[in-house]
Amino acid sequence: MRPEPTHAPIAPLDRDPTAVLRSHGCRVTGPRIAVLQVLLDHPGPIDTAHLTTHAQEIEPSVHETTVYRTLGTFSELGLVSHVHAGHGRSLVRLAGDDSVVAVCRECHAIVPVAADAVGTLAARVHADAGFTLEPGHFALEGLCAACAGAI
Amino acid sequence: MRPEPTHAPIAPLDRDPTAVLRSHGCRVTGPRIAVLQVLLDHPGPIDTAHLTTHAQEIEPSVHETTVYRTLGTFSELGLVSHVHAGHGRSLVRLAGDDSVVAVCRECHAIVPVAADAVGTLAARVHADAGFTLEPGHFALEGLCAACAGAI
DNA sequence: TTCCGTGCAAACAATTTGCAATAGA
DNA sequence: TCTATTGCAAATTGTTTGCACGGAA
């Protein structure tokens, strides 16, 4: 990793993978363009398996290993962040998206959660225990409306 | 699994592993006693690795595989429940303990979180999206006071 | 005696790493 | 050219499964 992490969120108008890669000072390669394109096209957290599948639709030769390494690179550059979900599945998303999500334990649906409500909880936890929640970095868990109804 | 799951929480006075196993209708064996003893001695979620280590201090021959299978059995009996923590670590705890915890991403410390604050969040998420949070089944994530200070 | 439960080895899934070949600047 | 990046294979980690033996009821 040569270039300094910029931690600059991607500007709304700057949605061209190549331009983003260039502006972040890293080499423009097929796999990186493909991975970034998928992330740009997909608002909110996406799991690694889907990300890989979609990246391979754009650039069939992309190896799974490379996706992981690319995400590592992007993460150091501050381009993406990880979200821990239950089970061991892990999600990634573009930086700048600080939304909190909940994942259904049955169907794995990802639903957004009101940020202010989580903020209230975070403030409370900090006041009580000095613990600093990082709400964007983990997913809440439970049952979505459909699955709750089906059971 | 022959006996029906009873889902009966362990009575406060009934903290003898053997008695608990008998009352839940399963065979009393060394590994089960050891695992249950560790859980009874340890309030709140404990991760599988530590649980195994401590069980092996009581009963050295206990195999890791057996710990997992024992936890599966206990889970079906409603004796224990799982808590998903970040990274892929998974925690277990005795049923009846509905506390919510947060895990430090640096030192993996486990700190309790005020149940009512989580309840408020759960109510909000349910009202907003019909999503039923299962607060005891996942851990929140962030930095504990010590690690936040150290960084 | 009869199955349930266990140990062991091997299978697994998700992720990471070593290394030589390749391609971007 | 020169080094960052990739592909592939193999190692790691956490967890699960197949199978034959051994022990609880």
Side-chain angles (χ1 to χ4, degrees), chain B residues 5-45:
Chain B
T6 62
H7 291 279
I10 295 175
L13 293 176
D14 196 10
R15 315 209 112 241
D16 170 38
T18 301
V20 172
L21 290 169
R22 287 239 154 74
S23 72
H24 281 262
C26 61
R27 289 194 179 174
V28 178
T29 68
R32 288 179 176 181
I33 292 172
V35 168
L36 191 46
Q37 186 67 62
V38 174
L39 289 167
L40 286 165
D41 288 347
H42 186 100

PDB file of all heavy atoms in Angstrom, chain B residues 5-45:
ATOM      1  N   PRO B   5     -37.596 -30.898  24.213  1.00  0.00           N
ATOM      2  CA  PRO B   5     -37.004 -29.675  24.766  1.00  0.00           C
ATOM      3  C   PRO B   5     -37.937 -29.126  25.836  1.00  0.00           C
ATOM      4  O   PRO B   5     -39.139 -29.035  25.622  1.00  0.00           O
ATOM      5  CB  PRO B   5     -36.955 -28.727  23.567  1.00  0.00           C
ATOM      6  CG  PRO B   5     -37.031 -29.607  22.370  1.00  0.00           C
ATOM      7  CD  PRO B   5     -37.839 -30.804  22.788  1.00  0.00           C
ATOM      8  N   THR B   6     -37.382 -28.817  26.962  1.00  0.00           N
ATOM      9  CA  THR B   6     -38.254 -28.306  28.010  1.00  0.00           C
ATOM     10  C   THR B   6     -38.260 -26.788  28.027  1.00  0.00           C
ATOM     11  O   THR B   6     -39.208 -26.163  28.425  1.00  0.00           O
ATOM     12  CB  THR B   6     -37.761 -28.770  29.394  1.00  0.00           C
ATOM     13  OG1 THR B   6     -36.458 -28.229  29.606  1.00  0.00           O
ATOM     14  CG2 THR B   6     -37.701 -30.278  29.461  1.00  0.00           C
ATOM     15  N   HIS B   7     -37.163 -26.221  27.562  1.00  0.00           N
ATOM     16  CA  HIS B   7     -37.023 -24.770  27.556  1.00  0.00           C
ATOM     17  C   HIS B   7     -37.218 -24.166  28.935  1.00  0.00           C
ATOM     18  O   HIS B   7     -37.533 -22.997  29.079  1.00  0.00           O
ATOM     19  CB  HIS B   7     -37.988 -24.119  26.560  1.00  0.00           C
ATOM     20  CG  HIS B   7     -37.613 -24.424  25.161  1.00  0.00           C
ATOM     21  ND1 HIS B   7     -36.617 -23.740  24.496  1.00  0.00           N
ATOM     22  CD2 HIS B   7     -38.054 -25.358  24.303  1.00  0.00           C
ATOM     23  CE1 HIS B   7     -36.492 -24.244  23.287  1.00  0.00           C
ATOM     24  NE2 HIS B   7     -37.344 -25.230  23.139  1.00  0.00           N
ATOM     25  N   ALA B   8     -37.058 -24.996  29.936  1.00  0.00           N
ATOM     26  CA  ALA B   8     -37.183 -24.479  31.289  1.00  0.00           C
ATOM     27  C   ALA B   8     -35.862 -23.863  31.720  1.00  0.00           C
ATOM     28  O   ALA B   8     -34.830 -24.516  31.652  1.00  0.00           O
ATOM     29  CB  ALA B   8     -37.553 -25.609  32.248  1.00  0.00           C
ATOM     30  N   PRO B   9     -35.882 -22.593  32.101  1.00  0.00           N
ATOM     31  CA  PRO B   9     -34.646 -21.995  32.584  1.00  0.00           C
ATOM     32  C   PRO B   9     -34.215 -22.717  33.849  1.00  0.00           C
ATOM     33  O   PRO B   9     -35.024 -23.338  34.532  1.00  0.00           O
ATOM     34  CB  PRO B   9     -35.026 -20.533  32.876  1.00  0.00           C
ATOM     35  CG  PRO B   9     -36.509 -20.512  32.924  1.00  0.00           C
ATOM     36  CD  PRO B   9     -37.011 -21.679  32.144  1.00  0.00           C
ATOM     37  N   ILE B  10     -32.930 -22.657  34.107  1.00  0.00           N
ATOM     38  CA  ILE B  10     -32.410 -23.353  35.277  1.00  0.00           C
ATOM     39  C   ILE B  10     -32.782 -22.599  36.549  1.00  0.00           C
ATOM     40  O   ILE B  10     -32.540 -21.406  36.669  1.00  0.00           O
ATOM     41  CB  ILE B  10     -30.887 -23.480  35.168  1.00  0.00           C
ATOM     42  CG1 ILE B  10     -30.570 -24.371  33.975  1.00  0.00           C
ATOM     43  CG2 ILE B  10     -30.294 -24.048  36.444  1.00  0.00           C
ATOM     44  CD1 ILE B  10     -29.104 -24.486  33.682  1.00  0.00           C
ATOM     45  N   ALA B  11     -33.405 -23.307  37.468  1.00  0.00           N
ATOM     46  CA  ALA B  11     -33.812 -22.665  38.719  1.00  0.00           C
ATOM     47  C   ALA B  11     -32.579 -22.230  39.501  1.00  0.00           C
ATOM     48  O   ALA B  11     -31.556 -22.893  39.466  1.00  0.00           O
ATOM     49  CB  ALA B  11     -34.641 -23.638  39.552  1.00  0.00           C
ATOM     50  N   PRO B  12     -32.705 -21.103  40.192  1.00  0.00           N
ATOM     51  CA  PRO B  12     -31.585 -20.550  40.936  1.00  0.00           C
ATOM     52  C   PRO B  12     -30.955 -21.556  41.900  1.00  0.00           C
ATOM     53  O   PRO B  12     -29.750 -21.586  42.071  1.00  0.00           O
ATOM     54  CB  PRO B  12     -32.220 -19.387  41.710  1.00  0.00           C
ATOM     55  CG  PRO B  12     -33.425 -19.022  40.918  1.00  0.00           C
ATOM     56  CD  PRO B  12     -33.902 -20.284  40.282  1.00  0.00           C
ATOM     57  N   LEU B  13     -31.783 -22.382  42.511  1.00  0.00           N
ATOM     58  CA  LEU B  13     -31.258 -23.312  43.505  1.00  0.00           C
ATOM     59  C   LEU B  13     -30.756 -24.604  42.872  1.00  0.00           C
ATOM     60  O   LEU B  13     -30.126 -25.436  43.514  1.00  0.00           O
ATOM     61  CB  LEU B  13     -32.344 -23.630  44.546  1.00  0.00           C
ATOM     62  CG  LEU B  13     -32.726 -22.416  45.406  1.00  0.00           C
ATOM     63  CD1 LEU B  13     -33.876 -22.764  46.335  1.00  0.00           C
ATOM     64  CD2 LEU B  13     -31.512 -21.954  46.208  1.00  0.00           C
ATOM     65  N   ASP B  14     -31.052 -24.753  41.602  1.00  0.00           N
ATOM     66  CA  ASP B  14     -30.760 -26.000  40.930  1.00  0.00           C
ATOM     67  C   ASP B  14     -29.486 -25.865  40.112  1.00  0.00           C
ATOM     68  O   ASP B  14     -29.497 -25.938  38.907  1.00  0.00           O
ATOM     69  CB  ASP B  14     -31.948 -26.350  40.042  1.00  0.00           C
ATOM     70  CG  ASP B  14     -31.893 -27.808  39.619  1.00  0.00           C
ATOM     71  OD1 ASP B  14     -31.054 -28.553  40.160  1.00  0.00           O
ATOM     72  OD2 ASP B  14     -32.688 -28.185  38.747  1.00  0.00           O
ATOM     73  N   ARG B  15     -28.397 -25.673  40.805  1.00  0.00           N
ATOM     74  CA  ARG B  15     -27.160 -25.386  40.090  1.00  0.00           C
ATOM     75  C   ARG B  15     -26.196 -26.566  40.090  1.00  0.00           C
ATOM     76  O   ARG B  15     -24.996 -26.406  39.914  1.00  0.00           O
ATOM     77  CB  ARG B  15     -26.472 -24.144  40.669  1.00  0.00           C
ATOM     78  CG  ARG B  15     -27.406 -22.980  40.921  1.00  0.00           C
ATOM     79  CD  ARG B  15     -26.683 -21.661  40.788  1.00  0.00           C
ATOM     80  NE  ARG B  15     -27.159 -20.928  39.627  1.00  0.00           N
ATOM     81  CZ  ARG B  15     -26.401 -20.575  38.597  1.00  0.00           C
ATOM     82  NH1 ARG B  15     -25.131 -20.904  38.561  1.00  0.00           N
ATOM     83  NH2 ARG B  15     -26.911 -19.907  37.590  1.00  0.00           N
ATOM     84  N   ASP B  16     -26.760 -27.740  40.250  1.00  0.00           N
ATOM     85  CA  ASP B  16     -25.933 -28.942  40.203  1.00  0.00           C
ATOM     86  C   ASP B  16     -26.032 -29.545  38.805  1.00  0.00           C
ATOM     87  O   ASP B  16     -27.107 -29.959  38.370  1.00  0.00           O
ATOM     88  CB  ASP B  16     -26.437 -29.935  41.253  1.00  0.00           C
ATOM     89  CG  ASP B  16     -25.776 -31.292  41.079  1.00  0.00           C
ATOM     90  OD1 ASP B  16     -24.573 -31.327  40.758  1.00  0.00           O
ATOM     91  OD2 ASP B  16     -26.484 -32.309  41.221  1.00  0.00           O
ATOM     92  N   PRO B  17     -24.903 -29.596  38.084  1.00  0.00           N
ATOM     93  CA  PRO B  17     -24.904 -30.066  36.700  1.00  0.00           C
ATOM     94  C   PRO B  17     -25.625 -31.396  36.536  1.00  0.00           C
ATOM     95  O   PRO B  17     -26.458 -31.542  35.645  1.00  0.00           O
ATOM     96  CB  PRO B  17     -23.418 -30.210  36.385  1.00  0.00           C
ATOM     97  CG  PRO B  17     -22.736 -29.247  37.278  1.00  0.00           C
ATOM     98  CD  PRO B  17     -23.563 -29.196  38.530  1.00  0.00           C
ATOM     99  N   THR B  18     -25.312 -32.335  37.406  1.00  0.00           N
ATOM    100  CA  THR B  18     -25.913 -33.657  37.285  1.00  0.00           C
ATOM    101  C   THR B  18     -27.432 -33.593  37.382  1.00  0.00           C
ATOM    102  O   THR B  18     -28.158 -34.175  36.570  1.00  0.00           O
ATOM    103  CB  THR B  18     -25.363 -34.591  38.381  1.00  0.00           C
ATOM    104  OG1 THR B  18     -23.941 -34.670  38.227  1.00  0.00           O
ATOM    105  CG2 THR B  18     -25.957 -35.971  38.261  1.00  0.00           C
ATOM    106  N   ALA B  19     -27.907 -32.843  38.370  1.00  0.00           N
ATOM    107  CA  ALA B  19     -29.352 -32.716  38.557  1.00  0.00           C
ATOM    108  C   ALA B  19     -30.000 -32.055  37.349  1.00  0.00           C
ATOM    109  O   ALA B  19     -31.060 -32.476  36.881  1.00  0.00           O
ATOM    110  CB  ALA B  19     -29.642 -31.919  39.821  1.00  0.00           C
ATOM    111  N   VAL B  20     -29.332 -31.018  36.833  1.00  0.00           N
ATOM    112  CA  VAL B  20     -29.878 -30.316  35.679  1.00  0.00           C
ATOM    113  C   VAL B  20     -29.979 -31.264  34.489  1.00  0.00           C
ATOM    114  O   VAL B  20     -31.004 -31.342  33.807  1.00  0.00           O
ATOM    115  CB  VAL B  20     -29.000 -29.095  35.305  1.00  0.00           C
ATOM    116  CG1 VAL B  20     -29.457 -28.483  33.992  1.00  0.00           C
ATOM    117  CG2 VAL B  20     -29.036 -28.062  36.419  1.00  0.00           C
ATOM    118  N   LEU B  21     -28.910 -32.031  34.266  1.00  0.00           N
ATOM    119  CA  LEU B  21     -28.905 -32.971  33.144  1.00  0.00           C
ATOM    120  C   LEU B  21     -30.030 -33.999  33.306  1.00  0.00           C
ATOM    121  O   LEU B  21     -30.778 -34.269  32.369  1.00  0.00           O
ATOM    122  CB  LEU B  21     -27.546 -33.675  33.039  1.00  0.00           C
ATOM    123  CG  LEU B  21     -26.386 -32.782  32.578  1.00  0.00           C
ATOM    124  CD1 LEU B  21     -25.052 -33.479  32.760  1.00  0.00           C
ATOM    125  CD2 LEU B  21     -26.585 -32.369  31.119  1.00  0.00           C
ATOM    126  N   ARG B  22     -30.144 -34.544  34.499  1.00  0.00           N
ATOM    127  CA  ARG B  22     -31.183 -35.556  34.750  1.00  0.00           C
ATOM    128  C   ARG B  22     -32.558 -34.960  34.485  1.00  0.00           C
ATOM    129  O   ARG B  22     -33.383 -35.561  33.799  1.00  0.00           O
ATOM    130  CB  ARG B  22     -31.117 -36.023  36.218  1.00  0.00           C
ATOM    131  CG  ARG B  22     -29.946 -36.919  36.527  1.00  0.00           C
ATOM    132  CD  ARG B  22     -30.403 -38.291  37.072  1.00  0.00           C
ATOM    133  NE  ARG B  22     -29.369 -39.298  36.772  1.00  0.00           N
ATOM    134  CZ  ARG B  22     -28.201 -39.383  37.408  1.00  0.00           C
ATOM    135  NH1 ARG B  22     -27.915 -38.550  38.385  1.00  0.00           N
ATOM    136  NH2 ARG B  22     -27.325 -40.308  37.055  1.00  0.00           N
ATOM    137  N   SER B  23     -32.774 -33.767  35.021  1.00  0.00           N
ATOM    138  CA  SER B  23     -34.113 -33.187  34.898  1.00  0.00           C
ATOM    139  C   SER B  23     -34.436 -32.826  33.455  1.00  0.00           C
ATOM    140  O   SER B  23     -35.590 -32.647  33.101  1.00  0.00           O
ATOM    141  CB  SER B  23     -34.233 -31.950  35.785  1.00  0.00           C
ATOM    142  OG  SER B  23     -33.480 -30.888  35.230  1.00  0.00           O
ATOM    143  N   HIS B  24     -33.397 -32.736  32.635  1.00  0.00           N
ATOM    144  CA  HIS B  24     -33.661 -32.446  31.232  1.00  0.00           C
ATOM    145  C   HIS B  24     -33.671 -33.731  30.409  1.00  0.00           C
ATOM    146  O   HIS B  24     -33.713 -33.693  29.194  1.00  0.00           O
ATOM    147  CB  HIS B  24     -32.635 -31.442  30.689  1.00  0.00           C
ATOM    148  CG  HIS B  24     -32.958 -30.031  31.084  1.00  0.00           C
ATOM    149  ND1 HIS B  24     -33.605 -29.148  30.252  1.00  0.00           N
ATOM    150  CD2 HIS B  24     -32.764 -29.358  32.241  1.00  0.00           C
ATOM    151  CE1 HIS B  24     -33.765 -27.991  30.869  1.00  0.00           C
ATOM    152  NE2 HIS B  24     -33.263 -28.089  32.084  1.00  0.00           N
ATOM    153  N   GLY B  25     -33.585 -34.825  31.101  1.00  0.00           N
ATOM    154  CA  GLY B  25     -33.752 -36.108  30.440  1.00  0.00           C
ATOM    155  C   GLY B  25     -32.590 -36.561  29.580  1.00  0.00           C
ATOM    156  O   GLY B  25     -32.770 -37.367  28.679  1.00  0.00           O
ATOM    157  N   CYS B  26     -31.394 -36.038  29.838  1.00  0.00           N
ATOM    158  CA  CYS B  26     -30.311 -36.563  29.016  1.00  0.00           C
ATOM    159  C   CYS B  26     -29.266 -37.256  29.864  1.00  0.00           C
ATOM    160  O   CYS B  26     -29.174 -37.058  31.071  1.00  0.00           O
ATOM    161  CB  CYS B  26     -29.724 -35.485  28.112  1.00  0.00           C
ATOM    162  SG  CYS B  26     -29.005 -34.087  28.926  1.00  0.00           S
ATOM    163  N   ARG B  27     -28.514 -38.101  29.223  1.00  0.00           N
ATOM    164  CA  ARG B  27     -27.535 -38.910  29.941  1.00  0.00           C
ATOM    165  C   ARG B  27     -26.483 -38.056  30.608  1.00  0.00           C
ATOM    166  O   ARG B  27     -26.043 -37.046  30.051  1.00  0.00           O
ATOM    167  CB  ARG B  27     -26.867 -39.887  28.991  1.00  0.00           C
ATOM    168  CG  ARG B  27     -27.800 -40.978  28.553  1.00  0.00           C
ATOM    169  CD  ARG B  27     -27.036 -42.097  27.890  1.00  0.00           C
ATOM    170  NE  ARG B  27     -27.964 -43.145  27.505  1.00  0.00           N
ATOM    171  CZ  ARG B  27     -27.626 -44.206  26.796  1.00  0.00           C
ATOM    172  NH1 ARG B  27     -26.384 -44.357  26.396  1.00  0.00           N
ATOM    173  NH2 ARG B  27     -28.521 -45.123  26.493  1.00  0.00           N
ATOM    174  N   VAL B  28     -26.116 -38.477  31.775  1.00  0.00           N
ATOM    175  CA  VAL B  28     -25.132 -37.745  32.551  1.00  0.00           C
ATOM    176  C   VAL B  28     -23.743 -38.278  32.231  1.00  0.00           C
ATOM    177  O   VAL B  28     -23.429 -39.431  32.528  1.00  0.00           O
ATOM    178  CB  VAL B  28     -25.414 -37.913  34.062  1.00  0.00           C
ATOM    179  CG1 VAL B  28     -24.357 -37.186  34.869  1.00  0.00           C
ATOM    180  CG2 VAL B  28     -26.811 -37.398  34.386  1.00  0.00           C
ATOM    181  N   THR B  29     -22.934 -37.450  31.607  1.00  0.00           N
ATOM    182  CA  THR B  29     -21.585 -37.887  31.233  1.00  0.00           C
ATOM    183  C   THR B  29     -20.570 -36.838  31.672  1.00  0.00           C
ATOM    184  O   THR B  29     -20.942 -35.692  31.938  1.00  0.00           O
ATOM    185  CB  THR B  29     -21.462 -38.049  29.711  1.00  0.00           C
ATOM    186  OG1 THR B  29     -21.546 -36.753  29.105  1.00  0.00           O
ATOM    187  CG2 THR B  29     -22.557 -38.950  29.167  1.00  0.00           C
ATOM    188  N   GLY B  30     -19.330 -37.247  31.689  1.00  0.00           N
ATOM    189  CA  GLY B  30     -18.257 -36.348  32.105  1.00  0.00           C
ATOM    190  C   GLY B  30     -18.234 -35.052  31.314  1.00  0.00           C
ATOM    191  O   GLY B  30     -18.261 -33.957  31.896  1.00  0.00           O
ATOM    192  N   PRO B  31     -18.174 -35.129  29.992  1.00  0.00           N
ATOM    193  CA  PRO B  31     -18.107 -33.898  29.198  1.00  0.00           C
ATOM    194  C   PRO B  31     -19.300 -32.979  29.441  1.00  0.00           C
ATOM    195  O   PRO B  31     -19.145 -31.760  29.535  1.00  0.00           O
ATOM    196  CB  PRO B  31     -18.116 -34.429  27.763  1.00  0.00           C
ATOM    197  CG  PRO B  31     -17.536 -35.793  27.862  1.00  0.00           C
ATOM    198  CD  PRO B  31     -17.990 -36.336  29.182  1.00  0.00           C
ATOM    199  N   ARG B  32     -20.475 -33.548  29.557  1.00  0.00           N
ATOM    200  CA  ARG B  32     -21.658 -32.710  29.769  1.00  0.00           C
ATOM    201  C   ARG B  32     -21.612 -32.018  31.118  1.00  0.00           C
ATOM    202  O   ARG B  32     -21.974 -30.844  31.240  1.00  0.00           O
ATOM    203  CB  ARG B  32     -22.919 -33.568  29.646  1.00  0.00           C
ATOM    204  CG  ARG B  32     -23.164 -33.963  28.216  1.00  0.00           C
ATOM    205  CD  ARG B  32     -24.382 -34.829  28.071  1.00  0.00           C
ATOM    206  NE  ARG B  32     -24.608 -35.094  26.654  1.00  0.00           N
ATOM    207  CZ  ARG B  32     -25.604 -35.810  26.181  1.00  0.00           C
ATOM    208  NH1 ARG B  32     -26.468 -36.365  27.005  1.00  0.00           N
ATOM    209  NH2 ARG B  32     -25.736 -35.973  24.893  1.00  0.00           N
ATOM    210  N   ILE B  33     -21.183 -32.767  32.117  1.00  0.00           N
ATOM    211  CA  ILE B  33     -21.064 -32.158  33.440  1.00  0.00           C
ATOM    212  C   ILE B  33     -20.064 -31.002  33.391  1.00  0.00           C
ATOM    213  O   ILE B  33     -20.322 -29.909  33.894  1.00  0.00           O
ATOM    214  CB  ILE B  33     -20.619 -33.197  34.493  1.00  0.00           C
ATOM    215  CG1 ILE B  33     -21.733 -34.219  34.718  1.00  0.00           C
ATOM    216  CG2 ILE B  33     -20.242 -32.513  35.803  1.00  0.00           C
ATOM    217  CD1 ILE B  33     -21.319 -35.393  35.588  1.00  0.00           C
ATOM    218  N   ALA B  34     -18.939 -31.260  32.740  1.00  0.00           N
ATOM    219  CA  ALA B  34     -17.889 -30.240  32.698  1.00  0.00           C
ATOM    220  C   ALA B  34     -18.371 -28.984  31.976  1.00  0.00           C
ATOM    221  O   ALA B  34     -18.211 -27.860  32.474  1.00  0.00           O
ATOM    222  CB  ALA B  34     -16.643 -30.801  32.009  1.00  0.00           C
ATOM    223  N   VAL B  35     -18.978 -29.149  30.818  1.00  0.00           N
ATOM    224  CA  VAL B  35     -19.448 -27.990  30.045  1.00  0.00           C
ATOM    225  C   VAL B  35     -20.496 -27.218  30.836  1.00  0.00           C
ATOM    226  O   VAL B  35     -20.440 -25.990  30.945  1.00  0.00           O
ATOM    227  CB  VAL B  35     -20.028 -28.436  28.687  1.00  0.00           C
ATOM    228  CG1 VAL B  35     -20.766 -27.287  28.014  1.00  0.00           C
ATOM    229  CG2 VAL B  35     -18.905 -28.960  27.788  1.00  0.00           C
ATOM    230  N   LEU B  36     -21.419 -27.956  31.426  1.00  0.00           N
ATOM    231  CA  LEU B  36     -22.495 -27.297  32.164  1.00  0.00           C
ATOM    232  C   LEU B  36     -21.948 -26.590  33.399  1.00  0.00           C
ATOM    233  O   LEU B  36     -22.381 -25.483  33.738  1.00  0.00           O
ATOM    234  CB  LEU B  36     -23.543 -28.340  32.546  1.00  0.00           C
ATOM    235  CG  LEU B  36     -24.876 -27.834  33.089  1.00  0.00           C
ATOM    236  CD1 LEU B  36     -25.426 -26.683  32.257  1.00  0.00           C
ATOM    237  CD2 LEU B  36     -25.874 -28.982  33.134  1.00  0.00           C
ATOM    238  N   GLN B  37     -20.982 -27.212  34.053  1.00  0.00           N
ATOM    239  CA  GLN B  37     -20.376 -26.596  35.224  1.00  0.00           C
ATOM    240  C   GLN B  37     -19.746 -25.248  34.869  1.00  0.00           C
ATOM    241  O   GLN B  37     -19.912 -24.256  35.574  1.00  0.00           O
ATOM    242  CB  GLN B  37     -19.306 -27.530  35.812  1.00  0.00           C
ATOM    243  CG  GLN B  37     -18.722 -27.016  37.114  1.00  0.00           C
ATOM    244  CD  GLN B  37     -19.755 -27.028  38.232  1.00  0.00           C
ATOM    245  OE1 GLN B  37     -20.256 -28.074  38.606  1.00  0.00           O
ATOM    246  NE2 GLN B  37     -20.100 -25.854  38.759  1.00  0.00           N
ATOM    247  N   VAL B  38     -19.041 -25.232  33.756  1.00  0.00           N
ATOM    248  CA  VAL B  38     -18.412 -23.977  33.328  1.00  0.00           C
ATOM    249  C   VAL B  38     -19.478 -22.916  33.077  1.00  0.00           C
ATOM    250  O   VAL B  38     -19.353 -21.766  33.519  1.00  0.00           O
ATOM    251  CB  VAL B  38     -17.563 -24.180  32.054  1.00  0.00           C
ATOM    252  CG1 VAL B  38     -17.050 -22.840  31.547  1.00  0.00           C
ATOM    253  CG2 VAL B  38     -16.408 -25.124  32.325  1.00  0.00           C
ATOM    254  N   LEU B  39     -20.543 -23.300  32.411  1.00  0.00           N
ATOM    255  CA  LEU B  39     -21.609 -22.342  32.110  1.00  0.00           C
ATOM    256  C   LEU B  39     -22.272 -21.848  33.390  1.00  0.00           C
ATOM    257  O   LEU B  39     -22.599 -20.657  33.515  1.00  0.00           O
ATOM    258  CB  LEU B  39     -22.651 -22.980  31.186  1.00  0.00           C
ATOM    259  CG  LEU B  39     -22.184 -23.213  29.748  1.00  0.00           C
ATOM    260  CD1 LEU B  39     -23.156 -24.118  29.000  1.00  0.00           C
ATOM    261  CD2 LEU B  39     -22.027 -21.874  29.019  1.00  0.00           C
ATOM    262  N   LEU B  40     -22.478 -22.756  34.331  1.00  0.00           N
ATOM    263  CA  LEU B  40     -23.113 -22.370  35.588  1.00  0.00           C
ATOM    264  C   LEU B  40     -22.213 -21.429  36.382  1.00  0.00           C
ATOM    265  O   LEU B  40     -22.694 -20.532  37.073  1.00  0.00           O
ATOM    266  CB  LEU B  40     -23.429 -23.618  36.420  1.00  0.00           C
ATOM    267  CG  LEU B  40     -24.602 -24.465  35.932  1.00  0.00           C
ATOM    268  CD1 LEU B  40     -24.588 -25.839  36.589  1.00  0.00           C
ATOM    269  CD2 LEU B  40     -25.922 -23.757  36.202  1.00  0.00           C
ATOM    270  N   ASP B  41     -20.913 -21.660  36.282  1.00  0.00           N
ATOM    271  CA  ASP B  41     -19.964 -20.833  37.037  1.00  0.00           C
ATOM    272  C   ASP B  41     -19.737 -19.484  36.384  1.00  0.00           C
ATOM    273  O   ASP B  41     -19.160 -18.580  36.989  1.00  0.00           O
ATOM    274  CB  ASP B  41     -18.605 -21.542  37.142  1.00  0.00           C
ATOM    275  CG  ASP B  41     -18.654 -22.722  38.092  1.00  0.00           C
ATOM    276  OD1 ASP B  41     -19.654 -22.828  38.832  1.00  0.00           O
ATOM    277  OD2 ASP B  41     -17.714 -23.539  38.073  1.00  0.00           O
ATOM    278  N   HIS B  42     -20.133 -19.389  35.104  1.00  0.00           N
ATOM    279  CA  HIS B  42     -19.785 -18.187  34.359  1.00  0.00           C
ATOM    280  C   HIS B  42     -21.036 -17.423  33.941  1.00  0.00           C
ATOM    281  O   HIS B  42     -21.698 -17.791  32.985  1.00  0.00           O
ATOM    282  CB  HIS B  42     -18.983 -18.578  33.118  1.00  0.00           C
ATOM    283  CG  HIS B  42     -18.464 -17.407  32.364  1.00  0.00           C
ATOM    284  ND1 HIS B  42     -17.162 -16.966  32.463  1.00  0.00           N
ATOM    285  CD2 HIS B  42     -19.075 -16.558  31.501  1.00  0.00           C
ATOM    286  CE1 HIS B  42     -16.997 -15.921  31.697  1.00  0.00           C
ATOM    287  NE2 HIS B  42     -18.143 -15.645  31.102  1.00  0.00           N
ATOM    288  N   PRO B  43     -21.354 -16.361  34.648  1.00  0.00           N
ATOM    289  CA  PRO B  43     -22.538 -15.591  34.265  1.00  0.00           C
ATOM    290  C   PRO B  43     -22.273 -14.842  32.968  1.00  0.00           C
ATOM    291  O   PRO B  43     -21.179 -14.311  32.771  1.00  0.00           O
ATOM    292  CB  PRO B  43     -22.705 -14.619  35.434  1.00  0.00           C
ATOM    293  CG  PRO B  43     -21.345 -14.490  36.023  1.00  0.00           C
ATOM    294  CD  PRO B  43     -20.605 -15.768  35.753  1.00  0.00           C
ATOM    295  N   GLY B  44     -23.237 -14.823  32.101  1.00  0.00           N
ATOM    296  CA  GLY B  44     -23.085 -14.092  30.841  1.00  0.00           C
ATOM    297  C   GLY B  44     -22.408 -14.915  29.772  1.00  0.00           C
ATOM    298  O   GLY B  44     -21.911 -16.009  30.032  1.00  0.00           O
ATOM    299  N   PRO B  45     -22.403 -14.383  28.564  1.00  0.00           N
ATOM    300  CA  PRO B  45     -21.868 -15.095  27.402  1.00  0.00           C
ATOM    301  C   PRO B  45     -20.381 -15.405  27.544  1.00  0.00           C
ATOM    302  O   PRO B  45     -19.612 -14.599  28.067  1.00  0.00           O
ATOM    303  CB  PRO B  45     -22.103 -14.123  26.249  1.00  0.00           C
ATOM    304  CG  PRO B  45     -23.211 -13.244  26.699  1.00  0.00           C
ATOM    305  CD  PRO B  45     -23.009 -13.101  28.169  1.00  0.00           C
TER     306      PRO B  45
END
